[in-house]
Amino acid sequence: MDALTHHIQGEVPWCMLFADDIVLIDETRGDINGRLEVWRLDLESKGFKLSRTKTKYVECKFSDVTGEADVEVRLYSQVILKRECFKYLGSIIHGDGEIDGDVTYRIGVGRMKWRLTSGVLCDKNVPPKLKGSMYANVTLRI
């Protein structure tokens, strides 16, 4: 991986890598276009491709500075559409910095998993000893 990414790795958190998920962060859209082009060239030189359909673009405004209204984020010649949020490693990242959507999502996933577990706990065909063991394991992880 180091051989593939040595040209594009910056100081954390400007570039985050995990398996085949990549997050590129920069201060301007123009700089992001430059990073995307470097990624594209490096990956293609090794026989890989960046997915045009899976690439997402979220703009986070940390200041009131404007001036790039005419710059589009592009991969190849294709314009990358702007999204309000995206999912990365199980977290929902919002452009406005809010975490309410991520918290709501995680609570929903936890409830869904608990419902699956409670079905086993309420099943009369499951031995009580197995139910107790399962309950103890679940409550220890919470």
Side-chain angles (χ1 to χ4, degrees):
M1 188 61 135
D2 288 339
L4 184 63
T5 62
H6 74 280
H7 294 294
I8 36 120
Q9 285 184 0
E11 292 183 25
V12 174
W14 299 108
C15 181
M16 297 184 290
L17 307 170
F18 184 81
D20 65 345
D21 291 330
I22 303 162
V23 173
L24 299 176
I25 303 169
D26 218 311
E27 295 178 0
T28 67
R29 292 182 208 159
D31 291 342
I32 286 294
N33 284 331
R35 285 182 179 265
L36 275 171
E37 183 62 16
V38 169
W39 264 104
R40 183 182 72 80
L41 292 172
D42 279 352
L43 289 173
E44 287 180 355
S45 73
K46 307 288 192 241
F48 298 101
K49 290 185 180 181
L50 278 175
S51 172
R52 295 179 190 185
T53 58
K54 291 182 180 180
T55 301
K56 298 176 184 177
Y57 155 57
V58 174
E59 183 174 15
C60 300
K61 298 233 180 201
F62 297 110
S63 69
D64 294 333
V65 178
T66 57
E68 277 199 313
D70 58 337
V71 177
E72 296 175 322
V73 175
R74 294 179 172 270
L75 179 58
Y76 307 96
S77 59
Q78 180 179 341
V79 174
I80 304 299
L81 298 176
K82 184 177 175 182
R83 307 277 189 242
E84 294 301 316
C85 63
F86 72 99
K87 191 173 181 180
Y88 181 72
L89 300 180
S91 293
I92 299 174
I93 300 172
H94 293 268
D96 60 7
E98 291 293 321
I99 63 168
D100 293 346
D102 188 41
V103 170
T104 301
Y105 170 76
R106 288 174 180 267
I107 289 171
V109 169
R111 283 185 179 154
M112 182 180 65
K113 295 298 182 185
W114 177 252
R115 279 190 211 128
L116 291 172
T117 303
S118 64
V120 173
L121 293 175
C122 296
D123 189 345
K124 293 180 182 179
N125 296 324
V126 176
K129 187 173 182 177
L130 180 60
K131 288 181 185 181
S133 179
M134 184 176 171
Y135 183 79
N137 282 322
V138 169
T139 56
L140 286 175
R141 296 177 197 275
I142 296 176

